[in-house]
Amino acid sequence: LISRSVIAVLPFSVRGSSDLQYLGEGVVSLLGTKLDGAGELRSVDSRALLSRIAHDAESAADPARAAAIARRFGAGLFVMGDVVEADGRLRVAAALYGTDEWTEPVAEAAAEGDDAFALVDEIATQLLAGVEGGPGARVRRIAAVTTTSLPAFRAYLAGEAEFRHGSFEPAFEAFRRAVELDTLYAMAYYRLSVAAEWLTRAEPAQEAAEKAYRYSSRLSERDTRLLEAFLAWRRGAHGEAERRYRAIVGTYPTDVEAWFQLGEIQYHGNPLHGRSSAESREAFERVLSFEPNDATSIIHLVRIAAAEGRHADMDSLAARFFALNPDADREHEVRSVQVLAHADPIRTDSFLSTIASESDLEVWTMGHTIAAYTLVARGRVRDAFREIETIGRYDPLSAAEFRALLSVVPLIPADREQLRRRRTEVESLDPASATSSGNASFFFSVLENRHEIIQLYLSGVLAARLGDGAAATVYADRLEAATPPAESGTLTTDLAAGVRAQIALAAGRPEDALAAIETVRQDIFYQLSMSSPYDGLILERYTRGELLHSLGRYEEALPWLEHLGEVNAMELAYKPAATFRRAEIYEALGRPEEAAGQYARFAEMWRDADPDLQPLVAQARAAVRRLAPDGVEP
């Protein structure tokens, strides 16, 4: 079988001193060794190759004959070249061909000097950068020319191979080896940051991005622009990053890396700013048009298809992902997206039970937390609080925070006495009592260094809900003066603005409340927004939609309510209220069919809701009958 991952190095021709004739066959061994194991490449054994050529008395002087020899060893690629000696200096030139198409080289390389071994290193680096052609090879070519260490580049290529297969842990380790071997290797730092991102490790993702830009002096202006856009994205400057990537793909429409990162920004950043994550579909599909087997783009398209209810497309993409990456790190994620999208109650409950039954305490806590949010989304508030009480047996601090957070979710019954109890409970917490999980993933550790911030925020929101504007203002001031946790950008000032909005809202000043909410910048690394309801500013985004609705700015309100649920699991708890409010907006806009559809969707969400919530379900069903007497699909 012929494979493009197998490469044959044919003897080089040598011109010059007779003392250098050994290099003709010596390069076969030297260069073959350098290429072997770089990424997915495997070199044909030089001894076997040379023996076969000698036995058959064949010449490999032209590409057609060389291709025939290489094919005998199953090689889909082969290298041929020459060594020229003049005035004591050597010039080595080489060309890389495909055995199925040898009329034009895939890549060429040339180097000049007086050290044959160093020249072979340089030739190997240049050839490796061109092993995979097409637009997708651009980043690899940049990586080749921005390091002087062949071992570092080999480690980089090993990381690329693992990353393409969706194996992010070994990819991370390979990129880390690359920067250890060349501490100024900008592109290896760049890919290290991307691998850390997929491993949900926010701190190394941020640090590596900063170093990539710091050491970008070896890069061209075009490639420096790529790192500038990436650093803006890592720092949470979503708008700036999107503008920069759009400028790059506008000038270089085949820049795969820029397309992919533009898709990342649109998918993860759009819902934080009242836009749809589905806008990213074009970017990821563009990536697949260049690199059809890109696992990370397929994962995003699976998620988008699930969110849009295109279940056949979702299942087809998932099957493609599993076929290409049977042992990929994100296999569980893709399967869980399918389970939840198909909305089979039995499969969904089984999935949530599996998460909640994990032996690892952090995973166990997350399982019960997600279960609580999901139960609120189904109107089963009593069961949701029971999940929180379960967490409280082992982690009373987190349980108290979750109780307070759920108490301010819209449509959740909470009288003044309950709010007073929650406020007292939160204000009496000791943030210093929190313990570290030791888990590198931000999904489990993101709240560990935020308990003081959380206490100020929840105390402020609860005080505002109780009409204690003076106390709430003190909490907002303290939040504004606090130092945000690492990678959290504008978190503290954004939360302070959220508290001030709640104060104005409770005082009956919606214009002032909206003005406060509009100062929220959300310049926060998106992965923190995915895992923390505070970094995700969920209450603030919902409140913005509510305020725009109350002020009659219906069209502006709709997207803020529509895209809740696309970023963070906690948003599931807000989805019913957002759906009901959208129904009311559509009705006010004179769009009865859309209004009926939203009312029907809400009624379906809460069909098994607690008895005291059923009147709202009945109200929604009555609205459906009134607006769409012939029936409507939820």
Side-chain angles (χ1 to χ4, degrees):
L1 296 175
I2 308 300
S3 172
R4 295 277 289 194
S5 64
V6 179
I7 189 168
V9 180
L10 282 300
F12 278 39
S13 65
V14 179
R15 287 177 287 166
S17 169
S18 58
D19 294 338
L20 298 175
Q21 292 303 310
Y22 74 95
L23 286 176
E25 294 188 355
V27 169
V28 177
S29 178
L30 282 172
L31 187 54
T33 300
K34 301 292 185 182
L35 298 175
D36 186 65
E40 298 175 335
L41 275 187
R42 296 294 178 267
S43 294
V44 173
D45 181 83
S46 59
R47 179 176 175 181
L49 183 67
L50 293 172
S51 296
R52 183 58 180 261
I53 292 173
H55 179 270
D56 294 346
E58 288 194 88
S59 169
D62 67 78
R65 290 180 179 177
I69 294 169
R71 279 196 295 268
R72 293 181 185 177
F73 290 88
L77 297 169
F78 67 93
V79 178
M80 54 190 307
D82 56 58
V83 179
V84 178
E85 184 267 341
D87 299 325
R89 290 179 63 80
L90 298 175
R91 185 180 187 282
V92 181
L96 173 71
Y97 297 86
T99 56
D100 57 344
E101 181 53 69
W102 40 261
T103 56
E104 293 292 336
V106 173
E108 295 180 286
E112 189 171 337
D114 51 19
D115 184 340
F117 294 97
L119 295 180
V120 170
D121 275 7
E122 192 171 340
I123 292 293
T125 300
Q126 293 179 42
L127 292 178
L128 285 171
V131 166
E132 297 181 44
R138 172 166 174 74
V139 170
R140 290 184 286 280
R141 289 194 293 271
I142 301 167
V145 300
T146 53
T147 182
T148 56
S149 168
L150 179 59
F153 185 52
R154 283 167 56 89
Y156 175 93
L157 289 176
E160 284 287 274
E162 295 287 1
F163 191 90
R164 282 197 300 277
H165 289 305
S167 300
F168 304 116
E169 184 69 50
F172 178 83
E173 293 301 327
F175 291 131
R176 187 157 63 179
R177 285 198 305 276
V179 298
E180 288 172 352
L181 292 164
D182 181 354
T183 57
L184 304 178
Y185 198 173
M187 294 310 295
Y189 280 115
Y190 170 71
R191 298 301 282 168
L192 179 64
S193 178
V194 175
E197 172 187 5
W198 279 85
L199 287 172
T200 67
R201 298 177 187 172
E203 188 174 344
Q206 191 84 1
E207 290 177 356
E210 296 283 348
K211 289 183 179 179
Y213 183 70
R214 186 184 310 158
Y215 301 132
S216 62
S217 59
R218 296 177 184 175
L219 301 179
S220 67
E221 180 184 357
R222 172 185 173 180
D223 302 321
T224 301
R225 287 171 61 193
L226 187 73
L227 293 188
E228 288 172 343
F230 185 69
L231 186 58
W233 173 222
R234 280 290 179 268
R235 289 176 173 174
H238 304 158
E240 178 190 347
E242 181 173 1
R243 287 190 295 274
R244 287 182 179 275
Y245 279 121
R246 283 192 178 280
I248 293 171
V249 298
T251 307
Y252 306 101
T254 60
D255 194 316
V256 175
E257 194 65 24
W259 275 114
F260 179 80
Q261 293 300 340
L262 176 60
E264 284 273 44
I265 292 169
Q266 292 175 328
Y267 182 82
H268 295 291
N270 277 8
L272 299 173
H273 302 279
R275 294 166 55 191
S276 172
S277 59
E279 288 181 24
S280 64
R281 188 197 308 167
E282 178 192 358
F284 292 123
E285 288 178 344
R286 188 70 67 97
V287 172
L288 290 183
S289 73
F290 298 127
E291 293 192 336
N293 296 341
D294 184 71
T296 50
S297 293
I298 294 173
I299 290 172
H300 282 90
L301 290 172
V302 167
R303 298 170 182 163
I304 293 168
E308 292 183 330
R310 296 183 290 109
H311 294 165
D313 290 343
M314 173 191 69
D315 292 337
S316 175
L317 286 161
R320 181 176 172 186
F321 174 80
F322 296 136
L324 292 169
N325 311 281
D327 300 315
D329 291 358
R330 293 299 180 93
E331 177 185 3
H332 179 71
E333 175 193 337
V334 174
R335 293 196 188 282
S336 66
V337 168
Q338 287 182 284
V339 168
L340 294 172
H342 283 295
D344 179 335
I346 296 175
R347 293 174 65 189
T348 301
D349 287 343
S350 174
F351 167 66
L352 292 172
S353 297
T354 299
I355 296 176
S357 64
E358 292 283 350
S359 59
D360 183 274
L361 181 58
E362 289 74 38
V363 178
W364 181 89
T365 300
M366 174 181 279
H368 283 290
T369 305
I370 293 175
Y373 299 155
T374 306
L375 287 165
V376 171
R378 293 158 67 178
R380 293 167 53 188
V381 179
R382 297 172 186 174
D383 290 340
F385 276 99
R386 276 193 281 270
E387 293 289 339
I388 300 302
E389 295 310 315
T390 302
I391 296 172
R393 299 175 200 163
Y394 301 93
D395 186 356
L397 175 66
S398 295
E401 293 171 346
F402 289 138
R403 276 194 294 272
L405 196 59
L406 284 179
S407 296
V408 297
V409 170
L411 303 187
I412 301 303
D415 58 31
R416 291 185 62 80
E417 181 56 34
Q418 287 174 318
L419 291 176
R420 274 196 291 268
R421 286 201 304 270
R422 298 288 180 251
R423 177 183 176 183
T424 301
E425 186 177 31
V426 168
E427 288 178 332
S428 63
L429 291 175
D430 178 13
S433 67
T435 57
S436 173
S437 68
N439 196 312
S441 170
F442 66 78
F443 273 117
F444 305 106
S445 61
V446 66
L447 300 181
E448 290 176 2
N449 62 349
R450 284 163 167 69
H451 291 294
E452 291 184 13
I453 301 296
I454 293 169
Q455 184 181 43
L456 291 173
Y457 173 70
L458 291 175
S459 298
V461 169
L462 290 166
R465 290 288 178 94
L466 288 165
D468 190 353
T473 299
V474 171
Y475 286 122
D477 291 342
R478 290 175 63 187
L479 271 171
E480 207 159 58
T483 301
E487 293 90 43
S488 289
T490 58
L491 175 65
T492 50
T493 55
D494 287 348
L495 291 178
V499 173
R500 296 189 197 285
Q502 293 295 322
I503 296 169
L505 189 59
R509 296 184 280 111
E511 293 89 351
D512 292 343
L514 182 59
I517 285 291
E518 287 176 339
T519 66
V520 171
R521 290 172 53 191
Q522 193 111 30
D523 284 356
I524 301 168
F525 183 36
Y526 84 91
Q527 290 196 321
L528 304 179
S529 300
M530 289 171 59
S531 52
S532 160
Y534 310 100
D535 295 72
L537 295 160
I538 301 169
L539 177 58
E540 285 64 40
R541 287 156 51 209
Y542 176 83
T543 301
R544 187 167 187 159
E546 279 280 278
L547 288 167
L548 288 166
H549 162 258
S550 70
L551 295 170
R553 294 162 61 177
Y554 298 141
E555 295 288 358
E556 294 176 71
L558 283 170
W560 287 100
L561 298 169
E562 180 180 359
H563 302 302
L564 281 167
E566 295 180 13
V567 176
N568 189 302
M570 175 63 183
E571 295 176 27
L572 295 172
Y574 283 73
K575 198 69 176 172
T579 302
F580 196 93
R581 186 65 75 210
R582 287 174 66 208
E584 293 180 323
I585 291 174
Y586 283 129
E587 189 172 1
L589 289 170
R591 293 154 65 176
E593 290 186 5
E594 290 167 281
Q598 294 299 310
Y599 280 125
R601 185 169 295 143
F602 171 81
E604 178 65 19
M605 287 178 182
W606 271 23
R607 65 181 178 184
D608 299 321
D610 293 343
D612 56 337
L613 298 177
Q614 286 297 328
L616 201 55
V617 179
Q619 181 182 334
R621 288 174 175 154
V624 173
R625 291 192 295 271
R626 183 182 73 251
L627 296 166
D630 295 331
V632 64
E633 288 293 326

